[in-house]
Amino acid sequence: MSDLGALPVQAYLTACLLAGGIGLWLGRVAWRERDEPGGIEVALYLLCGGGASLLYALRVAAPGEVAMRVALNLSTPLMGALPVLWTLFALAFTGHDRWRTENRIVALATPAFVWVLLAWSSATHGLARRSVAPVTEGPFTLLGYGLGPAGGLFVLLAYGLCVAGAFLVVDLYERTGNRYRLQTFVVLLGTLFPFLAGIATFVDVGSYANLSWLPTAFVIHGVFLYGTVFWLGTLDAAVVARDTAVEVMQDPVIVSGSDGRIRDLNPAAEAILPPDAVGSSLSEVFPRLEVGVEHPIAIDGRQFDIQENPITDPRGTDRGHVFLLRDVTAREERQAELERREAELERQNERLEEFAGVVSHDLRNPLAAASAGVELARQRGDDPDGALERAANAHERMDDMIEGLLALATAGETVDELDRVSLDGTVRRVWSRLETAEATLTVEGGDATVLADRDRLEQLVSNLFRNAVDHAGEDVAVTVSIEADGDRVALAVGDDGPGVPAAERERVTERGVSLGGGTGLGLAIVGDIVEAHGWSLSVAESDAGGAEFLVEGMEAADA
């Protein structure tokens, strides 16, 4: 039995008991809050370390060899579990959850389980421990033993797992930004204690070769892990993935603290800010990045929109801001090009309106005078060879072209205001205004009220009727079909004329295209009016074998 009155023994027992109490208490607290990422591993790590410390104190203070052996055997599974728990924590902490599968956990735990069984049965084979016997070193009476082959392999495996976990944390330290490096630094600092204690134990540093500080060191390490998880906030897989995503983002990300100083930058932000930006005042380094600044801002020929988000702690206290600078250079260039095109289109429309005015005034007046002169000459009978008749026809054609050009100038303008228009009423009203001679009109499908520009819809119907009369003859039979389908209405205008060849149906509504010697503007105007409303126009063969023009996509006013 150790000399419990000796100061070294009392100091060692105090350290073990204090570490054991802290480990068990913090482990119990951590277990209640184990939902935190890595919380279960930290709780079990502290419980195992605390239990091992108390059992090691029992080994030192035990009155006999039997009690020492019982304490040794009870602490064996706790010591075997610690490297495994550390490795699992490191995987969770560094975001490698894909490695924490059930099969891999079993694979990690199996060597420790086998070692525990071999250690408990070493008296028969000596594979894990050899020559287990009490050893007196000064005031201490300890249970000393040597390592068997299995024991030596497990020690190497345990240190290998500890080193692997440390490397994972070091890699995370290098990958994460400044915002998260405090957590990784704390974990690495705590990891030093088990390594140093292990070296002191196995290299026989100090006066007591068989005295081990490993259980106490494991508890200290567990305290560091507890502080990282439950005080500083651990880096679970989502946070690591988010941080990695920020690092590889092409858009700059700037983090400032509540004092207005820059705390962190991603590589994209480092490229546009001075090298010593971190730690400097944001208002000095980047005065245009203040909250409420007008967007976008120009930096080195690039345009950026700024998204600012506050950083608050759980109590709502302001801890700083995160600025995301979205590169919108391409968008701004497209917008500028669009504005340029719109301005050019507006200028073209203005010139077109000026041209329409010239056509209306400067051409129609002399044309009217010429037509009047020809008609007067024809009434006097001064047209023996029909020249005046041909001139009158030419004047009439010119008048049709002028009227078509005037209509074309406004047909494609954007429809700003929509009226509630009855299709049946519009069709019959337009038909009554035209000189249709022997032509007949049939309206099928009932009535429907649609949203449209009233004047341009009447012009569309008028042009389709004129097209039927001009190409199918004065005795053409025109059929108008109105069909409503939910909130959409279709209007079809067909005739019994010669129709439109299939090869020409795609281009018959183009400007200047006429299959019967017309101006080639009437159907082009129809196409422009349809496009201005957002409808669709198609050409097909009517039931009577003639041409049919189908306007689809009209919005029902009562839908």
Side-chain angles (χ1 to χ4, degrees), residues 457-470:
L457 179 59
E458 290 184 357
Q459 187 175 26
L460 179 150
V461 175
S462 175
N463 283 16
L464 291 178
F465 286 164
R466 288 179 183 272
N467 181 75
V469 173
D470 292 343

Side-chain angles (χ1 to χ4, degrees), residues 374-385 388:
V374 170
E375 184 63 25
L376 181 60
R378 290 174 62 190
Q379 291 177 2
R380 292 176 179 176
D382 297 336
D383 187 20
D385 56 357
L388 292 178

Side-chain angles (χ1 to χ4, degrees), residues 256-282:
S256 67
S258 57
D259 57 357
R261 295 188 176 277
I262 298 176
R263 299 295 178 84
D264 196 11
L265 304 171
N266 72 340
E270 293 174 351
I272 64 174
L273 295 181
D276 57 348
V278 176
S280 302
S281 173
L282 179 65

Side-chain angles (χ1 to χ4, degrees), residues 237-257:
V239 176
V240 173
R242 186 184 302 115
D243 184 79
T244 303
V246 169
E247 290 294 308
V248 302
M249 282 178 61
Q250 299 300 315
D251 292 328
V253 177
I254 302 174
V255 179
S256 67

Side-chain angles (χ1 to χ4, degrees), residues 181-199:
R181 286 186 172 173
L182 176 59
Q183 289 94 322
T184 53
F185 176 76
V186 170
V187 172
L188 289 174
L189 182 62
T191 307
L192 289 176
F193 288 90
F195 278 110
L196 295 177
I199 292 173

Side-chain angles (χ1 to χ4, degrees), residues 23 67 82 142 177 196 226 246 287 319 344 427 436 510:
L82 287 167
L142 304 169
L196 295 177
Y226 179 89
V246 169
R319 295 300 184 186
E344 179 64 24
V427 167
T436 54
E510 297 177 3

Side-chain angles (χ1 to χ4, degrees), residues 222-464:
V223 172
F224 276 81
L225 299 184
Y226 179 89
T228 302
V229 172
F230 298 102
W231 292 343
L232 298 179
T234 188
L235 294 176
D236 63 0
V239 176
V240 173
R242 186 184 302 115
D243 184 79
T244 303
V246 169
E247 290 294 308
V248 302
M249 282 178 61
Q250 299 300 315
D251 292 328
V253 177
I254 302 174
V255 179
S256 67
S258 57
D259 57 357
R261 295 188 176 277
I262 298 176
R263 299 295 178 84
D264 196 11
L265 304 171
N266 72 340
E270 293 174 351
I272 64 174
L273 295 181
D276 57 348
V278 176
S280 302
S281 173
L282 179 65
S283 59
E284 295 177 0
V285 175
F286 207 159
R288 289 172 295 172
L289 203 61
E290 296 178 356
V291 178
V293 71
E294 293 293 330
H295 303 157
I297 62 174
I299 305 174
D300 297 333
R302 297 161 63 192
Q303 299 287 326
F304 293 92
D305 267 347
I306 301 175
Q307 177 182 336
E308 181 269 334
N309 293 290
I311 303 173
T312 57
D313 60 18
R315 295 173 295 178
T317 305
D318 178 24
R319 295 300 184 186
H321 294 82
V322 176
F323 297 91
L324 172 62
L325 280 65
R326 297 187 180 278
D327 192 335
V328 294
T329 305
R331 187 196 72 185
E332 293 299 312
E333 290 176 351
R334 290 194 300 269
Q335 181 65 26
E337 177 65 17
L338 180 60
E339 292 176 355
R340 186 192 67 77
R341 291 182 180 180
E342 288 179 349
E344 179 64 24
L345 183 59
E346 186 175 349
R347 289 193 295 270
Q348 291 177 357
N349 289 337
E350 291 175 355
R351 290 195 295 268
L352 185 59
E353 291 178 1
E354 293 175 0
F355 169 73
V358 171
V359 170
S360 177
H361 183 271
D362 295 350
L363 290 183
R364 270 196 161 175
N365 287 345
L367 179 61
S371 298
V374 170
E375 184 63 25
L376 181 60
R378 290 174 62 190
Q379 291 177 2
R380 292 176 179 176
D382 297 336
D383 187 20
D385 56 357
L388 292 178
E389 180 67 25
R390 291 192 296 275
N393 292 337
H395 290 162
E396 184 178 353
R397 179 175 175 79
M398 290 176 64
D399 187 68
D400 290 342
M401 292 184 65
I402 292 173
E403 182 179 352
L405 288 172
L406 290 174
L408 194 63
T410 59
E413 291 181 356
T414 304
V415 177
D416 296 323
E417 295 184 5
L418 298 175
D419 306 313
R420 294 170 57 91
V421 185
S422 167
L423 287 181
D424 184 85
T426 299
V427 167
R428 297 184 187 279
R429 183 167 55 254
V430 171
W431 183 265
S432 66
R433 294 173 183 172
L434 298 178
E435 297 180 3
T436 54
E438 301 299 325
T440 60
L441 172 67
T442 302
V443 181
E444 300 176 347
D447 191 15
T449 302
V450 298
L451 297 176
D453 184 304
R454 186 184 305 276
D455 294 336
R456 276 190 265 187
L457 179 59
E458 290 184 357
Q459 187 175 26
L460 179 150
V461 175
S462 175
N463 283 16
L464 291 178

